Amino acid sequence: MSPTHIRCISGPNLQLLGMREPDVYGRESLAEIHARLEKRADALGVTIDARQTNHEGTIVDWIGEAPGHGVTGLILNPGAYTHTSIAILDALSAVALPCIEVHLSNPDAREPFRRRSRIAKACVGRVSGFGGDSYELALEGLVRVLARRRSHA
Ligand code: DQA
């Protein structure tokens, strides 16, 4: 059985976490969130590679190459591309890996333009509104989804 390997991708402006609108996104940096994720992944017996880019095409590349890199599941916070990117939706549909959509804030409680997620259709679930904890909760959920799929395989 292949090992569980998860890729976590964060999109534009998330490198600014910690200083970016702390009332909305909290004071934790992305490096701190990634460190937390690695610790939790270790405890859950899975591996994770967590990365960030400001570029839509790079997100599409990282999703498209994921199966070839042994990735078995995705955690994805596409930032503002959540609300616009059909290219990311198509990449997720193409690779058909289980993906959890993640947001630090709760987009549904914000401006109307944040209420539409273009990628939701290709995701098994969404965790939003828990600050940095959203990432860790998404990891927990994804590991359960993957374990369930394995036991039904
Ligand atoms: C976000 C929510 C998006 O609406 C926003 O554009 C972001 C961050 C979040 O994590 O809460 O950049 O994805």
Side-chain angles (χ1 to χ4, degrees), residues 32-72:
E32 287 166 338
I33 292 171
H34 285 177
R36 217 137 66 81
L37 272 181
E38 270 161 35
K39 225 170 136 189
R40 193 76 200 111
D42 214 37
L44 290 165
V46 303
T47 54
I48 189 158
D49 87 72
R51 32 174 93 192
Q52 186 273 337
T53 175
N54 289 322
H55 306 283
E56 183 178 14
T58 304
I59 297 175
V60 170
D61 287 343
W62 286 348
I63 294 169
E65 72 185 20
H69 288 193
V71 173
T72 51

Side-chain angles (χ1 to χ4, degrees), residues 11-14 17 20 24-25 77-83 102-107 110-111 113-114 128-129 131 135:
N13 300 309
L14 293 164
L17 283 181
R20 174 191 185 198
V24 179
Y25 298 114
N77 181 354
Y81 293 135
T82 305
H83 316 297
V102 170
H103 301 284
L104 296 112
S105 67
N106 177 4
R110 300 178 63 194
E111 302 94 326
F113 63 82
R114 294 187 203 275
S128 58
Y135 282 80

Side-chain angles (χ1 to χ4, degrees), residues 35 90 127-128 142:
D90 284 351
V127 182
S128 58
L142 179 57

